[in-house]
């Protein structure tokens, strides 16, 4: 009887293996149902029983182990609790042995998902968490929905969330923010909190806590108060009551993420209060339940007339250093501007030494070809950790690239970025190469050297065909995809205009940020302050970020700057041409659907890379070759 069952299962798994559509991510285990698993009955035991291709596994709980750590020794996995065992089980399934513990206790995905199912900067379909049952749009004027209007989590939705949880647990992610930082106050209304409770119940067994982004003006929009001033007693009381309501539903709720006084979002600044005053008021509300506040430092604009945008976060926050409650964490993007293909690290990490900090990385490729280009992001993050010591951070957040698309991330290779984020959140000292190898083996079946080479070169290729040598933000308005180096709109904030960033003129190109310019270099700690300030020592990959450089300037390879710019664009395009060749050669080894879909995207990427080169060089040439 058991034999027949196994035969049927094998057949089923053969069929599902042939229909490779990317939906199984890197968890492409075939059912083997072989292992005898002893120890506590838990999800780790289930997963091993289903998928471990060995005879037996012992699961052992040892209270003396560090939180989330595991040890794999022979047939035994030891951990402090079931979550640790689960991490150990997935590690065993990917062939790991030995002891492992995570760098940070907070390893969190940020979903920029809106309540109507759309996703800000999402390129892989609709939200996996939210949708109205009528499919209707939700805006500020929509009344609070009835529970029945919020999509129920049944059937495939529920299955999807379980698989989302498995995927996250398999790489150690233990928290998720369910909604956009541009947050609707309705998020905190009762029908939605019910939904959050249900999502939390699905994710909890996988060791994942839920968090919410909150709108700072919620007490007005939702509570009918006349103000959201953090020093107002009624406002503080409203948040306390809201926290109580949330924790009654979800006792292990993680806390709030806040985007305040940034890009039009409300915040304490509206009442002439500081970020610390705003954050602390919220921190006091969640403190009794062990909650945290992740307060973002991504601010620029109104209050900083004329100041170089990349300096504004430090200017605005430095006075608050040391003034935050101990359950507030400042969350900052890796670079001082906005998730560009290459930026120097954000100097806020040098300036807030008495404030716990988290880094926010972007998994969704907003400025790196979205989910149409193959760009493996681990090298960017590794580069960042080369400047900002992971030991100085208390956690890490990644803006998710996940949606309802069959393959979750739009591009089959964008899955690697989700995977790499989790692995680096666990251990930021893993190399991009180690992670890519792991991912390729699990996702494509074996170690393909050519795929590895393509992935490892892809980020630098993107920098080269989009904006080499420290150029930045020369994207088309708003959609952040194609090139628009001549972009300027008089009625737009200057900080959104490409011409503001590259400053090309008849003399040269680049943004002068040394002491003779905006002096952004002075926000850096040594040795970087001096290194970046001096044109002669500034690394060439940041050259035009920090300096306005003459077109005829001699670069390290002996060629002029203008020649170098052209060489980089050409190199970027040549790299993508090579990726297309690599993929052609890989055809015999790759299943049809994934091969075809990836091939289509690579060809599209090549068109785009050529367009970037043409548009940028044609435009810059008019200055460089003295035609203006
Ligand atoms: O890069 C900008 C994005 C916005 C985003 C903002 C932020 C969520 O273009 O879409 O808003 O950053 O990080 O707050």
């Amino acid at each position: 009887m058991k034999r027949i069952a196994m035969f049927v299962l094998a057949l089923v798994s053969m069929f599902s293996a042939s229909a490779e559509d990317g939906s199984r991510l890197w968890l492409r285990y075939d059912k083997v149902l072989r292992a005898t698993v002893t120890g506590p009955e838990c999800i780790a035991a289930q997963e091993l029983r289903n998928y471990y291709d060995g005879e037996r596994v012992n699961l052992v709980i040892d209270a003396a182990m560090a939180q989330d750590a595991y040890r794999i020794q022979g047939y035994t996995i030891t951990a402090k609790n079931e979550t640790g065992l689960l991490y150990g089980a997935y590690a065993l399934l990917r062939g790991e042995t030995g002891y492992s513990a995570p760098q940070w206790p907070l390893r969190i995905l940020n979903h920029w998902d809106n309540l109507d199912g759309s996703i800000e900067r999402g390129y892989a379909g609709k939200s996996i968490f939210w949708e109205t049952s009528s499919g209707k749009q939700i805006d500020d004027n929509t009344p609070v929905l009835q529970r029945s209007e919020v999509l129920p989590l049944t059937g495939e939705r529920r299955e999807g969330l379980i698989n989302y949880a498995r995927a996250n647990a398999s790489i150690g992610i233990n928290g998720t923010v369910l909604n956009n930082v541009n947050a609707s106050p309705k998020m905190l209304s009762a029908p939605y909190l019910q939904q959050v409770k249900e999502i939390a119940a699905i994710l909890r067994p996988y060791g994942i806590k839920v968090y919410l982004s909150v709108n700072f003006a919620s007490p007005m929009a939702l509570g009918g108060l006349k103000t959201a001033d953090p020093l107002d007693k009624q406002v503080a009381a409203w948040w306390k009551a809201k926290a109580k309501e949330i924790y009654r539903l979800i006792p292990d709720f993680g806390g709030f993420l806040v985007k305040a006084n940034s890009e039009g979002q409300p915040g304490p600044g509206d009442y002439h209060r500081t970020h610390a005053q705003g954050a602390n008021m919220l921190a006091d509300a969640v403190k009794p339940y062990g909650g945290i506040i992740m307060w973002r430092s991504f601010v620029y604009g109104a209050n900083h007339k004329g100041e170089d945008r990349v300096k504004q976060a430090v200017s605005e926050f430095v006075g608050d250093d040391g003034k935050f409650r101990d359950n507030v964490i400042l969350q900052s993007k890796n670079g001082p501007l906005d998730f560009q293909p290459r930026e120097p690290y954000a100097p806020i990490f040098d300036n807030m030494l008495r404030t716990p900090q988290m880094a926010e990385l972007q998994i969704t490729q907003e400025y790196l070809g979205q989910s149409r280009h193959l760009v493996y992001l681990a090298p960017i993050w590794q580069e960042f950790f080369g400047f900002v010591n992971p030991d100085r951070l208390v956690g890490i957040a990644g803006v998710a690239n996940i949606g309802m698309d069959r393959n979750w991330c739009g591009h089959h290779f964008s899955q690697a970025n989700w995977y790499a984020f989790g692995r680096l959140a666990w251990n930021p000292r893993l190399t991009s190469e180690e992670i890519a190898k792991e991912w390729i083996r699990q996702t494509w079946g074996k170690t393909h050297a050519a795929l590895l080479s393509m992935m490892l070169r892809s980020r630098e290729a993107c920098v080269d065909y989009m904006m080499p040598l420290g150029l930045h933000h020369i994207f088309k308005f708003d959609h952040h995809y194609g090139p628009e180096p001549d972009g300027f709109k008089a009625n737009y904030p200057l900080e959104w205009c490409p011409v503001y960033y590259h400053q090309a003129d008849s003399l040269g190109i680049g943004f002068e940020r040394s002491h003779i310019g905006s002096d952004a270099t002075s926000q850096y700690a040594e040795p970087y302050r001096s290194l970046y300030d001096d044109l002669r020592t500034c690394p060439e990959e940041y050259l035009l970020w920090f300096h306005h450089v003459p077109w005829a300037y001699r670069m390290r390879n002996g060629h002029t700057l203008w020649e170098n710019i052209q060489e980089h664009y050409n190199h970027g395009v040549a790299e993508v041409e090579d990726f297309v060749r690599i993929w052609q050669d890989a055809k015999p080894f790759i299943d049809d659907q994934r091969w075809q879909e990836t091939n289509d995207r690579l060809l599209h990427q090549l068109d785009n890379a050529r367009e970037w080169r043409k548009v940028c060089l044609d435009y810059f040439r008019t200055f460089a070759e003295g035609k203006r």
Side-chain angles (χ1 to χ4, degrees):
M1 193 56 211
K2 197 170 169 210
R3 273 241 192 90
I4 296 176
M6 279 185 51
F7 177 70
V8 172
L9 261 170
L11 266 185
V12 169
S13 68
M14 263 171 64
F15 277 114
S16 61
S18 62
E20 290 277 14
D21 55 11
S23 58
R24 293 193 295 165
L25 294 161
W26 50 90
L27 305 174
R28 292 166 59 260
Y29 320 123
D30 289 327
K31 284 247 185 208
V32 285
L33 287 172
R34 222 146 62 84
T36 311
V37 182
T38 57
E41 198 38 54
C42 55
I43 296 180
Q46 273 171 35
E47 293 285 78
L48 291 167
R49 217 166 268 142
N50 284 338
Y51 304 115
Y52 184 57
D53 198 9
E55 300 287 303
R56 62 189 164 95
V57 187
N58 307 322
L59 299 180
V60 178
I61 300 263
D62 175 356
M65 291 280 287
Q67 181 66 35
D68 295 346
Y70 55 81
R71 183 182 305 109
I72 305 173
Q73 219 165 22
Y75 298 113
T76 303
I77 305 177
T78 312
K80 188 185 195 68
N81 53 33
E82 290 183 4
T83 306
L85 290 178
L86 189 57
Y87 295 149
Y90 288 118
L92 181 64
L93 284 167
R94 69 173 166 257
E96 238 181 81
T97 54
Y99 177 81
S100 187
Q103 166 80 26
W104 300 293
L106 298 171
R107 306 177 296 276
I108 301 183
L109 286 183
N110 289 184
H111 289 263
W112 287 354
D113 294 17
N114 300 313
L115 298 180
D116 60 10
S118 60
I119 303 181
E120 180 147 356
R121 313 302 174 186
Y123 312 105
K126 292 237 174 183
S127 169
I128 60 170
F129 302 117
W130 311 108
E131 194 182 334
T132 49
S133 41
S134 58
K136 77 176 172 196
Q137 301 276 313
I138 299 186
D139 60 32
D140 290 350
N141 302 320
T142 317
V144 167
L145 297 186
Q146 301 299 310
R147 176 73 185 115
S148 61
E149 291 182 89
V150 181
L151 201 78
L153 296 175
T154 51
E156 270 187 40
R157 278 259 161 189
R158 200 187 164 75
E159 276 302 302
L161 287 183
I162 292 173
N163 284 322
Y164 165 84
R166 291 177 69 223
N168 281 329
S170 78
I171 47 178
I173 288 170
N174 69 352
T176 182
V177 182
L178 301 175
N179 63 318
N180 191 354
V181 288
N182 291 327
S184 165
K186 294 185 183 70
M187 185 68 249
L188 299 179
S189 65
Y192 282 107
L193 291 179
Q194 273 302 327
Q195 182 94 340
V196 175
K197 176 184 169 165
E198 286 179 31
I199 296 171
I202 297 173
L203 305 185
R204 185 173 295 117
Y206 294 86
I208 301 167
K209 274 192 187 184
V210 301
Y211 300 76
L212 293 176
S213 295
V214 296
N215 181 301
F216 199 78
S218 299
M220 298 163 80
L222 212 60
L225 300 190
K226 293 219 159 41
T227 176
D229 182 348
L231 299 193
D232 182 285
K233 288 211 170 59
Q234 278 185 302
V235 170
W238 188 88
W239 282 107
K240 285 211 159 99
K242 190 48 84 178
K244 191 170 178 187
E245 179 189 345
I246 295 173
Y247 279 94
R248 208 168 38 225
L249 293 167
I250 310 150
D252 57 353
F253 180 73
F256 297 141
L257 171 64
V258 193
K259 171 173 177 178
N261 294 120
S262 162
E263 298 185 328
Q265 293 300 313
D270 303 348
Y271 310 95
H272 308 289
R273 311 297 183 199
T274 63
H275 285 284
Q277 286 171 318
N280 291 347
M281 182 269 300
L282 293 176
D284 292 342
V286 296
K287 175 84 179 176
Y289 315 97
I292 60 169
I293 303 299
M294 293 165 286
W295 191 269
R296 296 175 89 229
S297 77
F298 179 72
V299 294
Y300 65 93
N303 308 330
H304 299 267
K305 292 245 162 0
E307 188 181 26
D308 178 1
R309 173 167 162 188
V310 307
K311 294 181 69 180
Q312 295 181 15
V314 170
S315 307
E316 192 162 320
F317 276 89
V318 77
D320 278 335
D321 192 23
K323 297 195 180 141
F324 291 99
R325 298 276 193 273
D326 61 5
N327 58 334
V328 177
I329 303 169
L330 191 66
Q331 178 168 315
S332 303
K333 298 185 181 184
N334 57 294
L337 184 55
D338 194 9
F339 296 136
Q340 300 298 294
R342 171 168 278 126
E343 295 187 39
Y345 73 96
I348 196 151
F349 294 105
D350 288 340
N351 282 279
M352 304 286 291
L353 299 177
R354 290 177 298 149
T355 303
Q357 297 205 62
M358 285 172 78
E360 179 180 306
L361 310 175
Q362 196 182 45
I363 308 168
T364 191
Q365 297 158 238
E366 177 177 357
Y367 293 97
L368 292 103
Q370 301 173 0
S371 50
R372 284 181 266 179
H373 293 196
L374 187 161
V375 184
Y376 173 53
L377 299 178
I380 299 197
W381 304 331
Q382 225 190 338
E383 196 168 280
F384 170 73
F385 294 130
F387 293 100
V388 175
N389 183 344
D391 296 342
R392 277 166 47 189
L393 304 174
V394 302
I396 189 98
V399 179
N401 62 349
I402 297 159
M404 289 292 283
D405 276 6
R406 275 305 284 167
N407 70 8
W408 297 86
C409 302
H411 195 308
H412 292 293
F413 279 80
S414 296
Q415 296 178 355
N417 295 330
W418 178 7
Y419 186 85
F421 170 76
R423 297 293 287 133
L424 284 172
W426 186 273
N427 179 3
R429 291 172 181 92
L430 288 172
T431 66
S432 304
E433 179 170 344
E434 285 166 324
I435 298 170
K437 276 186 180 158
E438 274 183 14
W439 178 80
I440 291 172
R441 191 167 32 76
Q442 296 171 85
T443 308
W444 301 99
K446 61 183 180 107
T447 322
H448 295 275
L451 268 54
L452 178 66
S453 146
M454 173 167 75
M455 285 172 72
L456 292 178
R457 288 150 57 195
S458 60
R459 184 280 184 122
E460 205 59 42
C462 177
V463 169
D464 275 350
Y465 65 70
M466 285 187 181
M467 35 198 97
L469 297 169
L471 288 172
H472 46 286
H473 219 309
I474 51 181
F475 293 93
K476 277 195 186 147
F477 276 106
D478 197 44
H479 61 62
H480 299 167
Y481 185 72
E484 195 166 58
D486 60 343
F488 174 76
K489 288 194 178 129
N491 55 343
Y492 271 58
L494 202 54
E495 297 101 329
W496 292 0
C497 299
V499 297
Y500 166 74
Y501 291 104
H502 61 64
Q503 308 259 329
D505 57 24
S506 59
L507 300 178
I509 180 169
F511 198 123
E512 188 58 56
R513 294 193 163 108
S514 74
H515 66 281
I516 58 164
S518 76
D519 203 25
T521 49
S522 69
Q523 291 185 339
Y524 285 88
E526 292 292 4
Y528 300 112
R529 176 194 300 227
S530 307
L531 196 74
Y532 297 157
D533 197 67
D534 187 339
L535 174 61
R536 290 161 310 173
T537 57
C538 182
E540 287 187 346
E541 64 265 31
Y542 301 135
L543 194 67
L544 306 179
W545 184 283
F546 287 115
H547 298 278
H548 190 71
V549 184
W551 296 105
Y553 178 79
R554 283 280 150 214
M555 302 282 283
R556 273 170 213 144
N557 66 0
H559 305 167
T560 66
L561 170 62
W562 172 229
E563 286 162 349
N564 268 262
I565 290 176
Q566 297 170 78
E567 287 158 14
H568 278 275
Y569 278 104
N570 285 332
H571 181 251
V573 172
E575 285 289 271
V576 184
E577 284 165 353
D578 200 42
F579 300 163
V580 169
R581 265 193 301 276
I582 288 177
W583 197 247
Q584 286 295 334
D585 293 347
K587 191 164 195 295
F589 315 106
I590 308 267
D591 41 278
D592 295 344
Q593 186 179 341
R594 291 192 299 171
W595 186 85
Q596 191 59 52
E597 286 168 356
T598 304
N599 195 53
D600 292 348
R601 301 225 158 191
L602 278 170
L603 293 175
H604 187 75
Q605 182 173 1
L606 181 55
D607 279 350
N608 288 167
R610 288 179 174 148
E611 183 196 350
W612 269 96
R613 173 175 64 180
K614 175 163 176 34
V615 171
C616 292
L617 291 183
D618 282 356
Y619 173 74
F620 292 138
R621 179 171 292 115
T622 62
F623 300 96
E625 297 180 1
K627 300 195 181 104
R628 282 198 200 201

